[in-house]
Amino acid sequence: MVTVAICLFSLHGHGNHKENSPFLNAAEASKGGDYYDRNLALFEEELDIRPKVSSLLGKLVNYTNLTQGVKEHEEAENTDGSKKKVSKSPSMGTLMGVYLPCMQNIFGVILFLRLTWMVGMAGVLQSFLIVLLCCCCTMLTTISMSAIATNGVVPAGGSYFMISRSLGPEFGGAVGLCFYLGTTFAGAMYILGAIEILLTYIVPQAAIFHPSGAHDASSAMLNNMRVYGTLFLILMAVVVFVGVKYVNKFASLFLACVVISILSIYAGAIKSIFDPPEFPICMLGNRTLSREYFDVCAKTVVKDNITVASKLWELFCHTTNLTTENCDEYFLMNNVSEIAGIPGAASGILKDNLWSNYLEKGEILEKAHHPSVDVAGQKNNLHLYVLSDIATSFMVLVGIFFPSVTGIMAGSNRSGDLKDAQKSIPVGTILAIVTTSLVYFSCVLLFGACIEGVVLRDKFGDAVNKNLVVGTLSWPSPWVIVIGSFFSTCGAGLQSLTGAPRLLQAIAKDNIIPFLWIFGHGKANGEPTWALLLTALIAELGILIASLDMVAPILSMFFLMCYLFVNLACAVQTLLRTPNWRPRFKYYHWALSFLGMSICLALMFISSWYYALVAMLIAGMIYKYIEYQGAEKEWGDGIRGLSLSAARYALLRLEEGPPHTKNWRPQLLVLLKLDEDLHVKYPRLLTFASQLKAGKGLTIIGSVIQGNFLETYGEAQAAEQTIKNMMDIEKVKGFCQVVVANKVREGIAHLIQSCGLGGMKHNTVVLGWPYGWRQSEDPRSWKTFIGTVRCTTAAHLALLVPKNVSFYPSNHERYNEGNIDVWWIVHDGGMLMLLPFLLKQHKVWRKCKMRIFTVAQMDDNSIQMKKDLATFLYQLRIEAEVEVVEMHNSDISAYTYERTLMMEQRSQMLRQMRLTKTEREREAQLVKDRHSVARLESLYSDEEDEGDPVPENIQMTWTKEKCDAEKRNRGSAVGSFRDLISIKPNQSNVRRMHTAVKLNEVIVNRSHDARLVLLNMPGPPKNTDGDENYMEFLEVLTEGLERVLLVRGGGREVITIYS
């Protein structure tokens, strides 16, 4: 981070006055004091890229940290310097900036609407376990978050900023969007909670849809939630759009509602010890009756001293008379009784509520051990009882409760407003979690100790006259909690709709997900208008679900995914010991982060395994999208460090020994030739490499630029970028290395020796053919080629020489038919067998057939050879046609003799020409005149003379002896030209030419129409005097063939018959 800052700092002085020195010219003196400080004269040439420490510290002290959504203000100030406003410095402390916002975000709708129900279903002990699991998850996440948040300056952006800068743009984008979706669905959940409180407990008569039958109540309620939820969402979105300042002004009011509501619960619990409130529950046998349909809890009532049927009798017997013909059997056999709904803390009800009592959907709430006769009742009377609306289990309750512990990121989201974020975030967040955890644990205990079990399991308060269950315990009135919880849930919904668009805007402005760019724009003051619109649409999806119990697990998944990656980020940074990982918060450990990560993962699958898979799939899709389409960012993230550590570990493992034959594959070093404009001269070499590798193994593209490194460094960088661009075009996955050397041949030798790292080194060199070597008077082109062949042989590397590479197919071509012919003349480790197989993996060559030819001499059994070769290929699992070509011993033809003679005459003539002194002088002058072009002319042409270096200006003093010697040299040169006519060819050269001619005749005869011909490349002669003849032999061997691949093994077996 500091390095980047250094590059951006401007170099204005800080009032250091300096007199103009008489020894500096005016231009130098005008540069100012920073450049020519008397004490920094040694560094004056580098001060533009390495500023003084005083400049650096001055910039860091003046660093302003703007909150999200105000970047436009900063840009406006930069463009209009005259109207620059003094920025208000961040001033929030731990209490106001972190502790209270975290408290407000953590306490929410679940505490008031679902915690009593959870205690009733799970029992006190399992409820403790649920709260403990969720609070441990958030506490461990907070420890990891504190470590990340105190490791340097955290700009506004909160968890997204921390994760993206710690784990990279891919993880950051994926988790940032998950956190955004979680916050958006949280807004929907809060709105649904507010509507549930409004329609169930405050104004039930406001319902638009009413149940047509006894069993339609739930569907009518859901439709009411959808309508009112949509209206509330529109209203809240308008409020947020009009101005966030209004939301912030009411934040303290909403927080006060939460605090007063919780205090009223404690007050009510204390009061219940000596004066429990009266909320009688009507029981029929051990079944709980809903108070919605009757007033008096009795079968009969006395009116005017006459016993008449009660409303309850009418409901169960369908008559106003005390007749029993149509009565429900269960009603007749069991007594009606009343029990206290709030027995109080001193009643000992706690021991009944310790254990779980999970119910299936539609099951009647029953009080255990209450006297009853177990007989079947009429199904059409089920609506008179209090029923369970959903099936419950430990896992379901975990998913529903977890949103009530989220909100721990509120402090880190406000990091831009904090006076000392590195101190406030850990302290404030941990204190908030401790406080809320204690409240949850105490509430679980108080609910279990004060409230009757059937009332706890009654989600909507049907048994207590449609009162909010937690409200029945509160003091002085149930309305305190009803009103308080309504306003607090509205406030939480507003804050979610405020925070989520800003998070999306931060992701969009980072430009890591291209299609989100539109959401980075907003109003002139930075308010994210488009992001707010998208947030409202996504929240509407949650509201259309309409069930608080269905929405809660969805946002649990997204929050858990976010917390998981916060823990992962901390663990990765800690284990990698990144030099920049120096958190001020010291109470963290990688084991705690891994434990937190494990708990997050466990909670995801405990609460809902299918939601967990969907959340992971969404995060995975976003990750892959950013990886392939997103803008490349370098944030110094931990994943890069993790990749580096994994690569180091793998390389050290590879060093243990050479790869087994089964694992051998060509790891290529492709030597490229560049033209004068630094463009790749033969791009088809890259095409061939990509077809041979198909994205597997190692590919290094190397090139040599002739010259001095200090002078040609820029050209080397440009050449490297050109090669990388060409690699992208040809889809070559690999690395690029450009070497600057005084001689091209030396540069190639350096590449062959030093490319690669550890066990990841090349084992095969791909070398282009030196076209036009016959026409060139300069012998260095083919000498460089032969020198490279000798280098690869000495290094025990395989060598591939594609001849006529311009005729090789591109990656877009397809060969639907044709043959790849292999001419197996000598065994060279099996390279000739392996290469066609690898080529056929690519779509260009896939439909070509493979043919293998081998040469039999007169004393060989060709029939047996063919059988043995077929068996060998079968064991190698390679499908190919096999042919044995018999080469009869024949006399050396006149053509062969004549061709050898011409070859030797040409070699001798050129040798004599090069020895002529005047020619040497002319050549030296030519090198001087063409120096700028000569440096880049050819990869395979050394532009410096192989002999002693010739000075640029040749000055000679002629004496009589030197003049006579020059005349004798000229005379001997003329005589040597005459000797060329009477030269006799060397017998060894005649034999080799005979072999080349005969083999070429056979190969052209059989493979003239082949798509590709592979054949053994003979090695260069040990005596360097025959190098030019060697080139001629290769030319003769490959004449008349369109595409040839000369193959030379590296001296080891590369293919095996064993599995």
Side-chain angles (χ1 to χ4, degrees):
M1 296 294 290
V2 173
T3 308
V4 177
I6 289 172
C7 295
L8 295 177
F9 290 155
S10 61
L11 294 167
H12 299 300
H14 290 268
N16 297 333
H17 179 69
K18 180 187 177 302
E19 294 180 1
N20 289 336
S21 169
F23 301 105
L24 301 177
N25 60 35
E28 290 173 327
S30 66
K31 289 182 179 178
D34 277 349
Y35 283 87
Y36 294 101
D37 194 299
R38 289 171 183 166
N39 297 324
L40 294 175
L42 276 175
F43 305 97
E44 62 190 18
E45 293 182 356
E46 295 182 316
L47 282 177
D48 54 338
I49 57 170
R50 301 170 191 266
K52 292 194 298 184
V53 174
S54 57
S55 304
L56 172 66
L57 293 177
K59 292 293 182 180
L60 286 176
V61 167
N62 295 327
Y63 175 72
T64 56
N65 201 343
L66 296 176
T67 55
Q68 273 184 34
V70 255
K71 191 174 180 183
E72 286 79 6
H73 291 298
E74 186 182 28
E75 291 171 355
E77 287 173 6
N78 290 339
T79 54
D80 189 3
S82 60
K83 297 182 180 179
K84 187 176 289 187
K85 297 179 182 178
V86 179
S87 59
K88 188 179 178 182
S89 61
S91 59
M92 281 193 173
T94 304
L95 180 70
M96 295 300 294
V98 181
Y99 180 73
L100 292 180
C102 282
M103 290 270 289
Q104 185 176 355
N105 277 266
I106 293 171
F107 287 134
V109 63
I110 301 295
L111 169 65
F112 303 117
L113 293 184
R114 293 292 182 267
L115 190 59
T116 53
W117 172 74
M118 186 187 84
V119 174
M121 291 294 181
V124 173
L125 295 180
Q126 288 193 26
S127 296
F128 269 137
L129 182 59
I130 292 172
V131 174
L132 181 66
L133 267 176
C134 296
C135 290
C136 280
C137 174
T138 52
M139 178 59 84
L140 292 171
T141 304
T142 301
I143 291 172
S144 299
M145 183 193 75
S146 300
I148 299 172
T150 58
N151 186 50
V153 180
V154 178
S159 58
Y160 161 70
F161 184 92
M162 290 189 293
I163 295 168
S164 61
R165 269 57 175 181
S166 298
L167 291 179
E170 293 87 2
F171 277 112
V175 179
L177 278 183
C178 283
F179 192 51
Y180 163 72
L181 291 172
T183 309
T184 305
F185 274 102
M189 184 189 74
Y190 291 130
I191 292 172
L192 289 174
I195 301 302
E196 185 177 310
I197 294 168
L198 181 73
L199 294 181
T200 309
Y201 309 112
I202 300 178
V203 278
Q205 59 271 24
I208 299 171
F209 299 93
H210 299 280
S212 55
H215 304 290
D216 296 336
S218 61
S219 60
M221 183 63 180
L222 291 180
N223 287 330
N224 285 321
M225 300 273 277
R226 291 182 180 109
V227 172
Y228 277 100
T230 304
L231 293 175
F232 262 57
L233 176 63
I234 294 170
L235 179 64
M236 287 183 177
V238 169
V239 170
V240 172
F241 176 76
V242 168
V244 183
K245 58 183 179 180
Y246 300 113
V247 179
N248 293 333
K249 281 182 180 178
F250 285 108
S252 55
L253 171 65
F254 298 141
L255 179 61
C257 290
V258 173
V259 173
I260 292 169
S261 300
I262 292 171
L263 290 177
S264 72
I265 294 173
Y266 287 113
I270 294 169
K271 178 178 175 291
S272 72
I273 298 173
F274 50 86
D275 184 17
E278 288 189 13
F279 282 97
I281 309 298
C282 190
M283 307 292 293
L284 178 59
N286 64 351
R287 297 180 180 179
T288 311
L289 293 171
S290 174
R291 282 278 190 172
E292 186 179 355
Y293 304 103
F294 62 92
D295 299 323
V296 181
C297 182
K299 290 186 179 182
T300 58
V301 292
V302 178
K303 282 187 179 180
D304 301 328
N305 294 325
I306 301 172
T307 302
V308 296
S310 67
K311 182 66 176 175
L312 203 56
W313 187 284
E314 293 179 17
L315 292 169
F316 278 97
C317 298
H318 311 291
T319 178
T320 55
N321 302 321
L322 292 173
T323 54
T324 58
E325 291 84 6
N326 298 321
C327 279
D328 188 308
E329 187 178 359
Y330 188 86
F331 178 74
L332 291 175
M333 299 294 290
N334 287 280
N335 294 323
V336 174
S337 59
E338 272 190 340
I339 60 172
I342 313 291
S347 64
I349 196 71
L350 178 63
K351 65 178 185 296
D352 294 334
N353 291 332
L354 282 177
W355 312 109
S356 62
N357 196 341
Y358 296 117
L359 301 175
E360 293 297 319
K361 184 177 181 180
E363 202 171 332
I364 300 171
L365 270 61
E366 298 179 348
K367 179 174 172 58
H369 312 302
H370 204 67
S372 68
V373 179
D374 191 14
V375 293
Q378 295 177 4
K379 287 188 176 180
N380 58 351
N381 290 329
L382 284 176
H383 67 283
L384 301 174
Y385 302 106
V386 179
L387 305 176
S388 172
D389 66 328
I390 61 168
T392 52
S393 65
F394 180 81
M395 295 186 289
V396 169
L397 295 181
V398 168
I400 291 174
F401 176 75
F402 187 80
S404 64
V405 295
T406 60
I408 60 173
M409 299 291 184
S412 63
N413 289 344
R414 290 167 168 259
S415 54
D417 299 327
L418 298 173
K419 188 187 298 181
D420 185 1
Q422 296 190 355
K423 178 185 175 184
S424 298
I425 289 175
V427 174
T429 310
I430 290 173
L431 282 178
I433 288 180
V434 169
T435 307
T436 52
S437 300
L438 289 175
V439 169
Y440 284 134
F441 280 120
S442 59
C443 283
V444 167
L445 188 63
L446 289 177
F447 293 159
C450 297
I451 305 176
E452 172 61 49
V454 289
V455 179
L456 287 173
R457 290 187 287 280
D458 182 6
K459 186 187 289 185
F460 301 109
D462 292 324
V464 285
N465 295 320
K466 283 286 183 180
N467 275 301
L468 181 62
V469 174
V470 68
T472 59
L473 180 63
S474 64
W475 180 87
S477 165
W479 285 102
V480 174
I481 281 200
V482 171
I483 301 299
S485 60
F486 176 75
F487 279 113
S488 69
T489 48
C490 287
L494 275 172
Q495 291 215 331
S496 296
L497 290 179
T498 306
R502 276 160 181 69
L503 183 59
L504 182 62
Q505 187 182 40
I507 298 170
K509 283 187 174 180
D510 266 344
N511 197 29
I512 55 172
I513 305 175
F515 69 83
L516 290 180
W517 67 271
I518 185 67
F519 300 109
H521 303 289
K523 292 195 291 186
N525 62 349
E527 292 299 319
T529 311
W530 291 105
L532 176 63
L533 184 61
L534 180 68
T535 303
L537 290 175
I538 296 174
E540 177 63 18
L541 295 178
I543 285 169
L544 291 177
I545 296 173
S547 171
L548 188 70
D549 304 318
M550 294 291 287
V551 174
I554 296 175
L555 66 104
S556 294
M557 288 306 120
F558 291 124
F559 278 122
L560 280 166
M561 181 83 70
C562 177
Y563 296 166
L564 184 148
F565 281 106
V566 170
N567 285 301
L568 176 64
C570 181
V572 166
Q573 298 275 36
T574 307
L575 286 174
L576 289 177
R577 295 189 179 93
T578 313
N580 193 49
W581 179 246
R582 302 184 297 276
R584 290 188 180 277
F585 180 78
K586 300 298 182 185
Y587 306 101
Y588 68 94
H589 193 270
W590 64 265
L592 292 177
S593 298
F594 268 115
L595 180 61
M597 195 169 64
S598 305
I599 293 175
C600 287
L601 195 62
L603 286 175
M604 286 177 71
F605 283 92
I606 284 173
S607 56
S608 177
W609 63 268
Y610 44 89
Y611 278 161
L613 291 178
V614 169
M616 287 180 170
L617 181 65
I618 291 172
M621 288 169 63
I622 298 168
Y623 179 94
K624 297 306 287 185
Y625 177 80
I626 296 173
E627 189 177 48
Y628 287 113
Q629 296 292 331
E632 290 187 9
K633 301 280 183 183
E634 177 50 64
W635 286 332
D637 51 85
I639 293 299
R640 287 291 293 267
L642 189 62
S643 302
L644 191 64
S645 294
R648 172 183 167 276
Y649 174 77
L651 283 171
L652 290 174
R653 289 289 303 273
L654 282 174
E655 279 280 29
E656 292 177 2
H660 191 272
T661 305
K662 288 185 288 187
N663 296 328
W664 195 95
R665 64 166 64 246
Q667 316 287 13
L668 302 181
L669 169 61
V670 183
L671 295 175
L672 277 189
K673 183 177 183 179
L674 303 178
D675 60 18
E676 294 95 356
D677 298 324
L678 300 180
H679 294 147
V680 178
K681 199 161 187 180
Y682 300 112
R684 284 295 163 87
L685 274 176
L686 292 175
T687 312
F688 171 71
S690 70
Q691 292 169 5
L692 185 62
K693 298 298 293 179
K696 304 293 191 300
L698 175 72
T699 304
I700 302 173
I701 311 299
S703 188
V704 178
I705 289 182
Q706 187 177 343
N708 185 293
F709 178 72
L710 296 177
E711 297 172 359
T712 55
Y713 175 73
E715 293 174 10
Q717 294 292 97
E720 189 169 323
Q721 191 57 49
T722 301
I723 294 173
K724 284 180 179 177
N725 294 339
M726 188 57 69
M727 288 170 69
D728 290 338
I729 293 170
E730 297 295 339
K731 297 180 180 176
V732 177
K733 304 279 187 183
F735 308 98
C736 172
Q737 189 161 354
V738 176
V739 170
V740 179
N742 289 327
K743 293 184 179 181
V744 174
R745 196 183 305 178
E746 289 178 2
I748 292 174
H750 293 158
L751 283 173
I752 290 173
Q753 290 177 75
S754 61
C755 273
L757 184 64
M760 281 294 283
K761 290 182 73 71
H762 57 278
N763 54 30
T764 305
V765 176
V766 179
L767 182 63
W769 180 261
Y771 303 102
W773 69 273
R774 279 175 173 162
Q775 290 76 27
S776 172
E777 294 180 359
D778 185 3
R780 284 174 285 264
S781 61
W782 53 264
K783 281 193 174 183
T784 302
F785 174 81
I786 297 174
T788 307
V789 175
R790 286 198 173 100
C791 280
T792 56
T793 305
H796 301 290
L797 302 176
L799 178 67
L800 306 179
V801 181
K803 199 160 179 284
N804 302 328
V805 74
S806 301
F807 297 113
Y808 276 55
S810 70
N811 285 326
H812 304 295
E813 295 180 46
R814 300 284 188 281
Y815 286 150
N816 294 321
E817 57 182 1
N819 300 311
I820 299 176
D821 286 357
V822 176
W823 284 85
W824 192 19
I825 300 164
V826 294
H827 182 57
D828 218 358
M831 281 280 287
L832 284 167
M833 309 292 178
L834 187 60
L835 291 174
F837 171 76
L838 295 174
L839 278 174
K840 277 169 62 67
Q841 308 303 307
H842 196 273
K843 56 191 175 185
V844 172
W845 305 92
R846 189 165 293 148
K847 294 186 179 179
C848 291
K849 293 181 180 178
M850 185 172 161
R851 296 191 302 183
I852 295 184
F853 298 90
T854 189
V855 176
Q857 303 301 323
M858 286 299 294
D859 53 349
D860 293 329
N861 185 344
S862 57
I863 298 173
Q864 188 61 40
M865 277 181 68
K866 186 171 183 177
K867 287 181 181 177
D868 293 344
L869 184 54
T871 306
F872 180 58
L873 288 176
Y874 176 77
Q875 290 173 336
L876 288 176
R877 290 91 63 203
I878 291 177
E879 295 181 10
E881 295 179 22
V882 176
E883 289 193 38
V884 177
V885 178
E886 295 182 353
M887 288 187 67
H888 301 286
N889 289 335
S890 60
D891 295 331
I892 295 171
S893 65
Y895 169 76
T896 303
Y897 191 87
E898 188 68 26
R899 185 134 191 188
T900 311
L901 180 62
M902 287 171 59
M903 175 186 73
E904 294 200 357
Q905 284 178 342
R906 180 180 179 278
S907 299
Q908 188 70 17
M909 183 172 66
L910 289 173
R911 194 176 293 117
Q912 293 297 334
M913 287 174 65
R914 286 197 296 272
L915 290 173
T916 308
K917 187 171 179 55
T918 54
E919 190 68 15
R920 285 173 60 89
E921 292 175 5
R922 194 173 67 84
E923 190 72 11
Q925 192 62 36
L926 190 65
V927 170
K928 178 191 172 186
D929 295 342
R930 294 170 53 206
H931 178 67
S932 60
V933 177
R935 282 187 302 146
L936 305 171
E937 186 174 3
S938 168
L939 179 62
Y940 309 112
S941 176
D942 233 336
E943 298 305 330
E944 295 188 10
D945 204 297
E946 295 299 313
D948 295 330
V950 178
E952 290 185 356
N953 296 318
I954 300 173
Q955 296 177 355
M956 300 189 71
T957 304
W958 289 92
T959 62
K960 187 175 186 301
E961 291 79 8
K962 285 186 178 181
C963 188
D964 293 339
E966 179 65 20
K967 288 178 180 178
R968 284 196 300 273
N969 286 338
R970 289 184 181 179
S972 62
V974 174
S976 60
F977 280 120
R978 290 171 183 161
D979 292 341
L980 288 174
I981 303 170
S982 57
I983 196 171
K984 288 186 178 180
N986 185 294
Q987 287 301 311
S988 173
N989 287 341
V990 172
R991 284 200 321 274
R992 288 174 181 166
M993 183 64 78
H994 176 67
T995 303
V997 170
K998 291 294 290 181
L999 274 175
N1000 179 256
E1001 286 177 3
V1002 174
I1003 293 171
V1004 170
N1005 184 38
R1006 297 296 187 95
S1007 302
H1008 61 275
D1009 59 346
R1011 299 294 188 186
L1012 181 65
V1013 176
L1014 290 86
L1015 72 153
N1016 291 109
M1017 179 180 181
K1022 294 180 181 177
N1023 185 0
T1024 56
D1025 292 340
D1027 285 356
E1028 193 171 6
N1029 299 337
Y1030 171 70
M1031 294 296 297
E1032 189 69 37
F1033 296 146
L1034 293 181
E1035 286 281 12
V1036 172
L1037 186 61
T1038 56
E1039 266 182 357
L1041 299 172
E1042 188 178 16
R1043 282 179 289 269
V1044 185
L1045 182 62
L1046 296 170
V1047 180
R1048 184 161 173 75
R1052 61 162 293 171
E1053 293 292 329
V1054 300
I1055 197 164
T1056 178
I1057 63 174
Y1058 299 107
S1059 61

